[in-house]
Amino acid sequence: MLSHKAKYALKALLYLAEQDENHISRTVEIADGANIPKKFLEQILLDLKRGRFVSSKQGKFGGYYLIKSKNDITLAEIHRLFDGAIALLPCASLNFYEPCSDCKTESECSLRHGLMLIRDKTLKAMEGITIASLVKK
Amino acid sequence: MLSHKAKYALKALLYLAEQDENHISRTVEIADGANIPKKFLEQILLDLKRGRFVSSKQGKFGGYYLIKSKNDITLAEIHRLFDGAIALLPCASLNFYEPCSDCKTESECSLRHGLMLIRDKTLKAMEGITIASLVKK
DNA sequence: AATTAATTCTATCGATTTACTAGACTTTAG
DNA sequence: CTAAAGTCTAGTAAATCGATAGAATTAATT
């Protein structure tokens, strides 16, 4: 399941993607438009900025805007930024790999192979969902 | 990501699936064999029993055994039993559906459609992974 | 220079969940 | 009766989640 943070991030990106080119959106505007608690959204937008999905302008008349094409922002990326690994166990993860602590001597745990199959399919599906694909509903 | 409970459940089922027909496995045996904390495993086995994956014999010389074919126990079922919904949001879930609280007036939230596509693909993949498919590695 | 309006940063908080552990109780074989 | 097994109910320490609070910084306008 997605965390609220990830869900709000998607909705915020969706909001930004729907604005006119060159429009800059204040946090409060996004919060109202996408129905997200404003102070919580502040943190999320900062995370999205650190992730280089959006950029911001400070001070009066400041706000946020997309710096990555809505066609290139995938659900997989947002999931990874806010909720981490897409795989079902760390030992089956590409980006968040960690060996299992409870898999005794064997180098590969009994679940790893099957979970990597799931990961590949889920990942492929998640890379197919972009902000652009969500906008045109 | 899978919870430890779900992971341990899979490993316990895998252990049971590897035993001879008619063999009955004590909790401590499974715990040692699959490297799972025993008291924690007790709870998990009870959950698996309530889910009708295993059954048990009480008293001396008691223990647990599979009552469902290893070909019919899928990752999807175990995920649902221990970790709930497979979909990324409740509004996109089949078995754990709940409407989003933060999706204003519209009957369908902007994310729902895309997330249902993901759910269908992930679910299909997860239904393809059975205990039997994990045993023969 | 002062004001205003925006982002940014850091801290905190209550509730819930997670991963266990403890211990009493029940059941069954011998 | 006793030993050895599952069953049930609590409890608990730590982490995570979903926010909220408030001060600091930045920038445009007056």
Side-chain angles (χ1 to χ4, degrees):
Chain A
M1 297 277 274
L2 290 182
S3 64
H4 283 206
K5 257 192 176 176
K7 179 177 69 169
Y8 291 157
L10 290 169
K11 289 174 68 172
L13 289 169
L14 219 46
Y15 180 90
L16 291 176
E18 282 167 345
Q19 305 312 306
D20 291 340
E21 196 79 22
N22 301 324
H23 179 69
I24 192 163
S25 306
R26 288 172 302 139
T27 304
V28 66
E29 196 183 313
I30 306 172
D32 291 351
N35 210 27
I36 303 169
K38 189 198 170 236
K39 286 300 264 181
F40 199 23
L41 178 59
E42 284 181 13
Q43 293 175 11
I44 293 164
L45 288 168
L46 284 173
D47 287 336
L48 286 171
K49 187 182 176 185
R50 290 186 197 106
R52 304 193 178 271
F53 294 97
V54 304
S55 189
S56 67
K57 190 168 172 298
Q58 286 199 146
K60 199 170 184 179
F61 303 118
Y64 289 91
Y65 51 95
L66 282 185
I67 55 170
K68 190 164 182 177
S69 163
K70 60 189 173 191
N71 294 295
D72 295 339
I73 304 177
T74 72
L75 178 53
E77 292 175 303
I78 301 305
H79 189 286
R80 285 196 177 117
L81 183 60
F82 291 96
D83 294 348
I86 286 162
L88 290 171
L89 285 182
C91 71
S93 174
L94 285 168
N95 290 256
F96 296 86
Y97 174 80
E98 275 184 66
C100 339
S101 54
D102 58 319
C103 282
K104 293 182 169 174
T105 51
E106 62 218 338
S107 60
E108 305 245 336
C109 88
S110 49
L111 304 176
R112 184 160 186 249
H113 181 251
L115 296 188
M116 285 174 69
L117 294 177
I118 307 283
R119 179 207 66 201
D120 287 340
K121 291 183 183 172
T122 302
L123 181 54
K124 199 171 174 185
M126 289 178 75
E127 283 172 341
I129 304 290
T130 64
I131 295 299
S133 76
L134 293 170
V135 168
K136 47 169 182 252
K137 54 168 297 187
Chain B
M1 297 274 276
L2 290 183
S3 65
H4 282 206
K5 256 192 176 175
K7 178 176 69 168
Y8 290 156
L10 290 169
K11 290 174 68 173
L13 290 169
L14 218 47
Y15 180 90
L16 292 176
E18 283 168 343
Q19 305 312 305
D20 291 338
E21 196 79 24
N22 301 324
H23 179 69
I24 192 163
S25 305
R26 289 172 301 140
T27 304
V28 65
E29 197 183 309
I30 306 171
D32 291 352
N35 210 26
I36 303 168
K38 190 199 169 234
K39 284 302 261 182
F40 199 24
L41 178 59
E42 283 181 12
Q43 292 176 8
I44 294 164
L45 288 168
L46 284 173
D47 288 336
L48 286 172
K49 187 182 175 183
R50 290 185 197 107
R52 304 193 178 269
F53 294 98
V54 303
S55 188
S56 67
K57 190 168 172 300
Q58 287 199 145
K60 200 169 183 180
F61 303 118
Y64 288 91
Y65 51 95
L66 284 184
I67 54 168
K68 190 164 182 177
S69 162
K70 61 190 172 191
N71 293 296
D72 294 340
I73 304 177
T74 72
L75 179 52
E77 292 175 303
I78 301 304
H79 189 286
R80 287 196 176 117
L81 182 61
F82 291 96
D83 294 346
I86 285 162
L88 289 171
L89 287 183
C91 70
S93 174
L94 285 169
N95 291 256
F96 296 84
Y97 174 80
E98 276 183 66
C100 337
S101 54
D102 59 318
C103 281
K104 293 182 170 173
T105 50
E106 61 218 335
S107 60
E108 305 246 334
C109 88
S110 50
L111 303 176
R112 184 161 186 248
H113 181 249
L115 296 188
M116 284 174 68
L117 295 177
I118 308 284
R119 179 207 66 200
D120 288 340
K121 291 183 183 172
T122 302
L123 181 54
K124 199 171 173 186
M126 288 177 76
E127 284 172 339
I129 304 291
T130 63
I131 295 298
S133 76
L134 292 170
V135 169
K136 48 173 181 243
K137 55 168 292 186

